[in-house]
Amino acid sequence: MAPKRRGALQLVQREVDEINKQTDSLVKDVQNQVGSTEEAFQRCQELQMSSEETLKKLKELTKADELAPVGNYDQRKQEEERRLQNMLERLNSLSLELSPPGPSSAAGNVSKEDSEDGTDEDDDSDDDDDGDTDGNDGEDEKRAVKPSSQSDPRIYTVLSDFKGEQEGDLSVQRGEVLRIIRKTADGWWLVQDTKGSRGLVPRTYLKVQKLDEDDSDDDNEESEEEEEEVEELTEDRDKRRFSIDATDVLSAMGAIPSGFRPSTLNTLLVEEGETYRGSHYIQPELSQSQLSFKDLFLDPDTGRVGVSLTCVCFTLWGCRMIPTPGVGVQVLSRHIRLCAFDGAQVLSNIHTVRAAYNSKSPKTWSFSPRMTGILPTLLDGECFLRCDSTDPNLGILFELGVTFIRNSTGERGDLSCGWAFLKLTDDAGKPLPNRTYELPVNGGTPYETDVAVEASATKGCGVFQQMLQARRQPKLIVKLKSTNSRTRTQLSLLPDTLLHSLSCVHLLALHRQLLADTLLMDRPTMQDADLICSPILSTFPVLLDQTDLLDALRSAWLEAETSMSRAQKRDLSYLKQEFIKVYMSSVYFLLHSPSLPRHRWGDPPSEEQRARVVYATLETLKNLQHSTGQSGRPEVFVEQTHSHLAFDISELSFDLLRVARKNTNKGPLFFT
């Protein structure tokens, strides 16, 4: 009998298991001091490369690569990705322990005593034997102290000051020249400065040093080896460069205006995983001691979540005079991405609001269209921002964008149609008053200045021409507003940093209360880190990334509230119990529905199919609830008439150590 062929995901799982075994063996050998440190360091580097290659291969897998249908495919794939990320963290820590130290800071000013020990830089011929014993590390350390003019593609420049907060971090200053020793997929690169110190630095703080062509002819063999290494390690950067080239091509063809750029915030959402998503910021944040919570505490008198800082509420009114792409591009979505911004880095999650489009006014975008029933969260222009930053330049960054597909090649992409910034304080440091603001829309990226969204054909400097030009400038209209006392109370219960739709505040507040009860009251001790059986806490953050499911929960909860009395609406214990029932009988079942397509941004057919499945499933569950008179029945998952996907342990239990946010600083928003 022929052996059974394994699917692509199973083959990757076997590779992950093998890497895990080798990692455990390496850690054991290091602890028992088996073999030399150089051998262990080489093994560690080989395992890091294997892990990164396997992670890249895993991220490229799709269901279409499987020989047969695989149940719970996405959950299994995510679990393997988490395993690889954990192994990379272990290997990075081990690599820092095993990496040989660099030359001392006094290498350029050695004394006579040092020269007697064989470290004099002038005696190159006498040090050949030492160089052979040191291997490649000696050559790397010599290249690390080269000036920035050398043609070394691994030389980077620091864009902003970074202060290391944890063991293994390297503090660097702006303008400093660093040599990259190792690049990893998690964004923390191992670098070496001119003094020989080594440590981890976020890649967002670094920019590649331009090469000089005059020195490119020296050491041809070394250059060829370094070029091959750089090509393997910087594939992500090459992809970004390709997207910029594609934008230039579209601009040259006249398909897009000259001020359009690849979407900066969309790049963060795609490349940084969950770091800038609402599902990440809704999780509890650990304090600096890692033993308590920074933004989650209970009022001992009322048993409610403690009130923290205030926030800003605003409404997107619309945009006008926004240029339209040419005929060679089909627009799938017009939207605005929002985030807290201080001029250097993104300080919150990135929230997206889709604009309504009218073919009769193609240059005008509107928000919050009128419709029957509840307004979808994706179209709701009323938002709130909570941010714990005290930076005087704090404001809201608005990036106008389109998701498009090229008619000729079928290539999808995201473009920025311009950006606007609303600083939340005036020159005196006082909060801005609640009124309507017309913000100019600038072209380029948030780090480019004096870039027009569209080249102007108006010439002359007369008053009339200036008036015409002012009317043709792209504008974003935003209104700062106040809310009622009930909404302000609900907003005060939310995490210290979050940007989302104002229509979902009551659901976020209930989730926050359940989270506080579970973590602060139900756990035996604050140091307890066991898995917590709570399907709601483990799956609710997913709704912030799939707003159609969040709208389904809003609809189900609104119907449940209509049957409550006034006293029941004031009873927090009753509200939490009913919220659990409504959640389990609506959204939790939808999350495991086999007929629900996978969420994909900017895909109209998929969005329409998901809307039909959500509506049909909610109607079926509603009829079942009316016939039985009960809600939140777990029996719905075992009835033959309702099929569902297999359950995963991550969807049934809340893992505090995995989802809790660490109290760390983000790097500035720069791209190389």
Side-chain angles (χ1 to χ4, degrees), residues 583-604:
Y583 185 91
M584 297 299 295
S585 61
S586 58
V587 178
Y588 192 71
F589 185 82
L590 278 170
L591 286 170
H592 298 84
S593 174
S595 57
L596 186 68
R598 183 179 180 181
H599 182 267
R600 186 183 182 188
W601 169 257
D603 188 7

PDB file of all heavy atoms in Angstrom, residues 583-604:
ATOM      1  N   TYR A 583     -24.280  36.967  23.258  1.00  0.00           N
ATOM      2  CA  TYR A 583     -23.036  36.729  22.522  1.00  0.00           C
ATOM      3  C   TYR A 583     -22.932  35.266  22.089  1.00  0.00           C
ATOM      4  O   TYR A 583     -22.604  34.977  20.926  1.00  0.00           O
ATOM      5  CB  TYR A 583     -21.845  37.107  23.404  1.00  0.00           C
ATOM      6  CG  TYR A 583     -20.504  37.014  22.700  1.00  0.00           C
ATOM      7  CD1 TYR A 583     -19.972  38.114  22.046  1.00  0.00           C
ATOM      8  CD2 TYR A 583     -19.775  35.834  22.691  1.00  0.00           C
ATOM      9  CE1 TYR A 583     -18.758  38.042  21.388  1.00  0.00           C
ATOM     10  CE2 TYR A 583     -18.553  35.743  22.042  1.00  0.00           C
ATOM     11  CZ  TYR A 583     -18.053  36.848  21.392  1.00  0.00           C
ATOM     12  OH  TYR A 583     -16.849  36.758  20.742  1.00  0.00           O
ATOM     13  N   MET A 584     -23.212  34.350  22.999  1.00  0.00           N
ATOM     14  CA  MET A 584     -23.079  32.929  22.683  1.00  0.00           C
ATOM     15  C   MET A 584     -24.113  32.467  21.662  1.00  0.00           C
ATOM     16  O   MET A 584     -23.864  31.524  20.903  1.00  0.00           O
ATOM     17  CB  MET A 584     -23.192  32.100  23.965  1.00  0.00           C
ATOM     18  CG  MET A 584     -22.096  32.361  24.974  1.00  0.00           C
ATOM     19  SD  MET A 584     -20.434  31.977  24.341  1.00  0.00           S
ATOM     20  CE  MET A 584     -20.586  30.212  24.108  1.00  0.00           C
ATOM     21  N   SER A 585     -25.264  33.102  21.630  1.00  0.00           N
ATOM     22  CA  SER A 585     -26.336  32.676  20.720  1.00  0.00           C
ATOM     23  C   SER A 585     -26.313  33.429  19.397  1.00  0.00           C
ATOM     24  O   SER A 585     -27.216  33.248  18.583  1.00  0.00           O
ATOM     25  CB  SER A 585     -27.700  32.871  21.385  1.00  0.00           C
ATOM     26  OG  SER A 585     -27.925  34.237  21.688  1.00  0.00           O
ATOM     27  N   SER A 586     -25.319  34.276  19.168  1.00  0.00           N
ATOM     28  CA  SER A 586     -25.276  35.018  17.907  1.00  0.00           C
ATOM     29  C   SER A 586     -23.869  34.986  17.316  1.00  0.00           C
ATOM     30  O   SER A 586     -23.574  34.187  16.419  1.00  0.00           O
ATOM     31  CB  SER A 586     -25.741  36.463  18.128  1.00  0.00           C
ATOM     32  OG  SER A 586     -24.933  37.106  19.112  1.00  0.00           O
ATOM     33  N   VAL A 587     -22.992  35.831  17.823  1.00  0.00           N
ATOM     34  CA  VAL A 587     -21.679  36.005  17.201  1.00  0.00           C
ATOM     35  C   VAL A 587     -20.793  34.776  17.386  1.00  0.00           C
ATOM     36  O   VAL A 587     -20.079  34.371  16.464  1.00  0.00           O
ATOM     37  CB  VAL A 587     -20.986  37.261  17.774  1.00  0.00           C
ATOM     38  CG1 VAL A 587     -19.607  37.421  17.182  1.00  0.00           C
ATOM     39  CG2 VAL A 587     -21.824  38.487  17.497  1.00  0.00           C
ATOM     40  N   TYR A 588     -20.839  34.158  18.552  1.00  0.00           N
ATOM     41  CA  TYR A 588     -19.971  33.012  18.790  1.00  0.00           C
ATOM     42  C   TYR A 588     -20.307  31.868  17.840  1.00  0.00           C
ATOM     43  O   TYR A 588     -19.425  31.145  17.385  1.00  0.00           O
ATOM     44  CB  TYR A 588     -20.091  32.557  20.244  1.00  0.00           C
ATOM     45  CG  TYR A 588     -19.014  31.577  20.647  1.00  0.00           C
ATOM     46  CD1 TYR A 588     -17.697  31.997  20.800  1.00  0.00           C
ATOM     47  CD2 TYR A 588     -19.305  30.239  20.876  1.00  0.00           C
ATOM     48  CE1 TYR A 588     -16.700  31.115  21.165  1.00  0.00           C
ATOM     49  CE2 TYR A 588     -18.315  29.346  21.246  1.00  0.00           C
ATOM     50  CZ  TYR A 588     -17.007  29.788  21.383  1.00  0.00           C
ATOM     51  OH  TYR A 588     -16.025  28.913  21.730  1.00  0.00           O
ATOM     52  N   PHE A 589     -21.575  31.713  17.535  1.00  0.00           N
ATOM     53  CA  PHE A 589     -21.963  30.687  16.572  1.00  0.00           C
ATOM     54  C   PHE A 589     -21.518  31.076  15.162  1.00  0.00           C
ATOM     55  O   PHE A 589     -21.080  30.231  14.376  1.00  0.00           O
ATOM     56  CB  PHE A 589     -23.477  30.471  16.610  1.00  0.00           C
ATOM     57  CG  PHE A 589     -23.948  29.348  15.729  1.00  0.00           C
ATOM     58  CD1 PHE A 589     -23.894  28.040  16.161  1.00  0.00           C
ATOM     59  CD2 PHE A 589     -24.432  29.600  14.460  1.00  0.00           C
ATOM     60  CE1 PHE A 589     -24.316  26.995  15.349  1.00  0.00           C
ATOM     61  CE2 PHE A 589     -24.860  28.577  13.631  1.00  0.00           C
ATOM     62  CZ  PHE A 589     -24.802  27.261  14.085  1.00  0.00           C
ATOM     63  N   LEU A 590     -21.607  32.376  14.843  1.00  0.00           N
ATOM     64  CA  LEU A 590     -21.177  32.829  13.519  1.00  0.00           C
ATOM     65  C   LEU A 590     -19.675  32.623  13.310  1.00  0.00           C
ATOM     66  O   LEU A 590     -19.231  32.309  12.202  1.00  0.00           O
ATOM     67  CB  LEU A 590     -21.520  34.313  13.345  1.00  0.00           C
ATOM     68  CG  LEU A 590     -22.956  34.640  12.931  1.00  0.00           C
ATOM     69  CD1 LEU A 590     -23.215  36.131  13.041  1.00  0.00           C
ATOM     70  CD2 LEU A 590     -23.219  34.162  11.512  1.00  0.00           C
ATOM     71  N   LEU A 591     -18.898  32.800  14.357  1.00  0.00           N
ATOM     72  CA  LEU A 591     -17.458  32.615  14.240  1.00  0.00           C
ATOM     73  C   LEU A 591     -17.086  31.191  13.854  1.00  0.00           C
ATOM     74  O   LEU A 591     -15.997  30.948  13.305  1.00  0.00           O
ATOM     75  CB  LEU A 591     -16.768  32.986  15.560  1.00  0.00           C
ATOM     76  CG  LEU A 591     -16.677  34.479  15.887  1.00  0.00           C
ATOM     77  CD1 LEU A 591     -16.193  34.683  17.314  1.00  0.00           C
ATOM     78  CD2 LEU A 591     -15.743  35.183  14.909  1.00  0.00           C
ATOM     79  N   HIS A 592     -17.976  30.236  14.144  1.00  0.00           N
ATOM     80  CA  HIS A 592     -17.711  28.834  13.843  1.00  0.00           C
ATOM     81  C   HIS A 592     -18.611  28.303  12.731  1.00  0.00           C
ATOM     82  O   HIS A 592     -18.736  27.093  12.554  1.00  0.00           O
ATOM     83  CB  HIS A 592     -17.886  27.980  15.101  1.00  0.00           C
ATOM     84  CG  HIS A 592     -16.947  28.331  16.206  1.00  0.00           C
ATOM     85  ND1 HIS A 592     -17.188  29.353  17.090  1.00  0.00           N
ATOM     86  CD2 HIS A 592     -15.741  27.816  16.540  1.00  0.00           C
ATOM     87  CE1 HIS A 592     -16.186  29.438  17.944  1.00  0.00           C
ATOM     88  NE2 HIS A 592     -15.297  28.531  17.629  1.00  0.00           N
ATOM     89  N   SER A 593     -19.232  29.208  11.986  1.00  0.00           N
ATOM     90  CA  SER A 593     -20.095  28.780  10.896  1.00  0.00           C
ATOM     91  C   SER A 593     -19.249  28.396   9.683  1.00  0.00           C
ATOM     92  O   SER A 593     -18.431  29.192   9.214  1.00  0.00           O
ATOM     93  CB  SER A 593     -21.065  29.910  10.518  1.00  0.00           C
ATOM     94  OG  SER A 593     -21.810  29.556   9.376  1.00  0.00           O
ATOM     95  N   PRO A 594     -19.420  27.194   9.138  1.00  0.00           N
ATOM     96  CA  PRO A 594     -18.622  26.799   7.957  1.00  0.00           C
ATOM     97  C   PRO A 594     -19.016  27.545   6.696  1.00  0.00           C
ATOM     98  O   PRO A 594     -18.245  27.578   5.737  1.00  0.00           O
ATOM     99  CB  PRO A 594     -18.910  25.298   7.840  1.00  0.00           C
ATOM    100  CG  PRO A 594     -20.248  25.112   8.480  1.00  0.00           C
ATOM    101  CD  PRO A 594     -20.320  26.122   9.593  1.00  0.00           C
ATOM    102  N   SER A 595     -20.196  28.140   6.671  1.00  0.00           N
ATOM    103  CA  SER A 595     -20.649  28.855   5.477  1.00  0.00           C
ATOM    104  C   SER A 595     -20.194  30.314   5.446  1.00  0.00           C
ATOM    105  O   SER A 595     -20.406  30.989   4.437  1.00  0.00           O
ATOM    106  CB  SER A 595     -22.181  28.811   5.392  1.00  0.00           C
ATOM    107  OG  SER A 595     -22.773  29.344   6.562  1.00  0.00           O
ATOM    108  N   LEU A 596     -19.573  30.803   6.523  1.00  0.00           N
ATOM    109  CA  LEU A 596     -19.125  32.188   6.560  1.00  0.00           C
ATOM    110  C   LEU A 596     -17.769  32.301   5.868  1.00  0.00           C
ATOM    111  O   LEU A 596     -16.786  31.723   6.330  1.00  0.00           O
ATOM    112  CB  LEU A 596     -19.019  32.682   8.000  1.00  0.00           C
ATOM    113  CG  LEU A 596     -18.683  34.171   8.182  1.00  0.00           C
ATOM    114  CD1 LEU A 596     -19.846  35.033   7.695  1.00  0.00           C
ATOM    115  CD2 LEU A 596     -18.362  34.481   9.638  1.00  0.00           C
ATOM    116  N   PRO A 597     -17.668  33.050   4.752  1.00  0.00           N
ATOM    117  CA  PRO A 597     -16.368  33.174   4.065  1.00  0.00           C
ATOM    118  C   PRO A 597     -15.348  33.893   4.941  1.00  0.00           C
ATOM    119  O   PRO A 597     -15.688  34.623   5.863  1.00  0.00           O
ATOM    120  CB  PRO A 597     -16.704  33.997   2.806  1.00  0.00           C
ATOM    121  CG  PRO A 597     -18.193  33.929   2.671  1.00  0.00           C
ATOM    122  CD  PRO A 597     -18.735  33.774   4.059  1.00  0.00           C
ATOM    123  N   ARG A 598     -14.105  33.709   4.601  1.00  0.00           N
ATOM    124  CA  ARG A 598     -13.036  34.365   5.336  1.00  0.00           C
ATOM    125  C   ARG A 598     -13.080  35.869   5.085  1.00  0.00           C
ATOM    126  O   ARG A 598     -13.320  36.316   3.969  1.00  0.00           O
ATOM    127  CB  ARG A 598     -11.685  33.800   4.906  1.00  0.00           C
ATOM    128  CG  ARG A 598     -10.498  34.364   5.673  1.00  0.00           C
ATOM    129  CD  ARG A 598      -9.209  33.719   5.197  1.00  0.00           C
ATOM    130  NE  ARG A 598      -8.052  34.240   5.918  1.00  0.00           N
ATOM    131  CZ  ARG A 598      -6.798  33.873   5.688  1.00  0.00           C
ATOM    132  NH1 ARG A 598      -6.553  32.960   4.765  1.00  0.00           N
ATOM    133  NH2 ARG A 598      -5.802  34.396   6.387  1.00  0.00           N
ATOM    134  N   HIS A 599     -12.826  36.643   6.138  1.00  0.00           N
ATOM    135  CA  HIS A 599     -12.865  38.095   6.020  1.00  0.00           C
ATOM    136  C   HIS A 599     -11.701  38.581   5.167  1.00  0.00           C
ATOM    137  O   HIS A 599     -10.547  38.220   5.384  1.00  0.00           O
ATOM    138  CB  HIS A 599     -12.789  38.735   7.409  1.00  0.00           C
ATOM    139  CG  HIS A 599     -12.877  40.229   7.379  1.00  0.00           C
ATOM    140  ND1 HIS A 599     -11.759  41.037   7.327  1.00  0.00           N
ATOM    141  CD2 HIS A 599     -13.944  41.068   7.387  1.00  0.00           C
ATOM    142  CE1 HIS A 599     -12.118  42.296   7.307  1.00  0.00           C
ATOM    143  NE2 HIS A 599     -13.445  42.351   7.342  1.00  0.00           N
ATOM    144  N   ARG A 600     -12.038  39.398   4.164  1.00  0.00           N
ATOM    145  CA  ARG A 600     -11.029  39.960   3.278  1.00  0.00           C
ATOM    146  C   ARG A 600     -11.391  41.399   2.974  1.00  0.00           C
ATOM    147  O   ARG A 600     -12.503  41.687   2.566  1.00  0.00           O
ATOM    148  CB  ARG A 600     -10.932  39.148   1.987  1.00  0.00           C
ATOM    149  CG  ARG A 600      -9.788  39.594   1.071  1.00  0.00           C
ATOM    150  CD  ARG A 600      -9.771  38.824  -0.221  1.00  0.00           C
ATOM    151  NE  ARG A 600      -8.660  39.222  -1.073  1.00  0.00           N
ATOM    152  CZ  ARG A 600      -8.496  38.824  -2.322  1.00  0.00           C
ATOM    153  NH1 ARG A 600      -9.393  38.010  -2.864  1.00  0.00           N
ATOM    154  NH2 ARG A 600      -7.461  39.241  -3.033  1.00  0.00           N
ATOM    155  N   TRP A 601     -10.415  42.276   3.188  1.00  0.00           N
ATOM    156  CA  TRP A 601     -10.672  43.703   3.004  1.00  0.00           C
ATOM    157  C   TRP A 601     -10.767  44.041   1.516  1.00  0.00           C
ATOM    158  O   TRP A 601     -10.001  43.547   0.690  1.00  0.00           O
ATOM    159  CB  TRP A 601      -9.568  44.522   3.654  1.00  0.00           C
ATOM    160  CG  TRP A 601      -9.633  45.974   3.289  1.00  0.00           C
ATOM    161  CD1 TRP A 601      -8.844  46.637   2.395  1.00  0.00           C
ATOM    162  CD2 TRP A 601     -10.559  46.938   3.787  1.00  0.00           C
ATOM    163  NE1 TRP A 601      -9.212  47.949   2.312  1.00  0.00           N
ATOM    164  CE2 TRP A 601     -10.269  48.168   3.156  1.00  0.00           C
ATOM    165  CE3 TRP A 601     -11.605  46.885   4.699  1.00  0.00           C
ATOM    166  CZ2 TRP A 601     -10.979  49.323   3.414  1.00  0.00           C
ATOM    167  CZ3 TRP A 601     -12.318  48.035   4.958  1.00  0.00           C
ATOM    168  CH2 TRP A 601     -12.006  49.234   4.331  1.00  0.00           C
ATOM    169  N   GLY A 602     -11.722  44.904   1.184  1.00  0.00           N
ATOM    170  CA  GLY A 602     -11.842  45.404  -0.178  1.00  0.00           C
ATOM    171  C   GLY A 602     -12.228  44.357  -1.192  1.00  0.00           C
ATOM    172  O   GLY A 602     -11.787  44.428  -2.346  1.00  0.00           O
ATOM    173  N   ASP A 603     -13.056  43.398  -0.812  1.00  0.00           N
ATOM    174  CA  ASP A 603     -13.514  42.355  -1.722  1.00  0.00           C
ATOM    175  C   ASP A 603     -15.044  42.351  -1.723  1.00  0.00           C
ATOM    176  O   ASP A 603     -15.661  41.688  -0.887  1.00  0.00           O
ATOM    177  CB  ASP A 603     -12.969  40.999  -1.292  1.00  0.00           C
ATOM    178  CG  ASP A 603     -13.258  39.903  -2.304  1.00  0.00           C
ATOM    179  OD1 ASP A 603     -13.759  40.233  -3.398  1.00  0.00           O
ATOM    180  OD2 ASP A 603     -13.004  38.721  -2.008  1.00  0.00           O
ATOM    181  N   PRO A 604     -15.687  43.110  -2.608  1.00  0.00           N
ATOM    182  CA  PRO A 604     -17.159  43.229  -2.581  1.00  0.00           C
ATOM    183  C   PRO A 604     -17.899  41.905  -2.645  1.00  0.00           C
ATOM    184  O   PRO A 604     -18.861  41.711  -1.882  1.00  0.00           O
ATOM    185  CB  PRO A 604     -17.456  44.124  -3.796  1.00  0.00           C
ATOM    186  CG  PRO A 604     -16.203  44.920  -3.999  1.00  0.00           C
ATOM    187  CD  PRO A 604     -15.088  43.996  -3.621  1.00  0.00           C
TER     188      PRO A 604
END
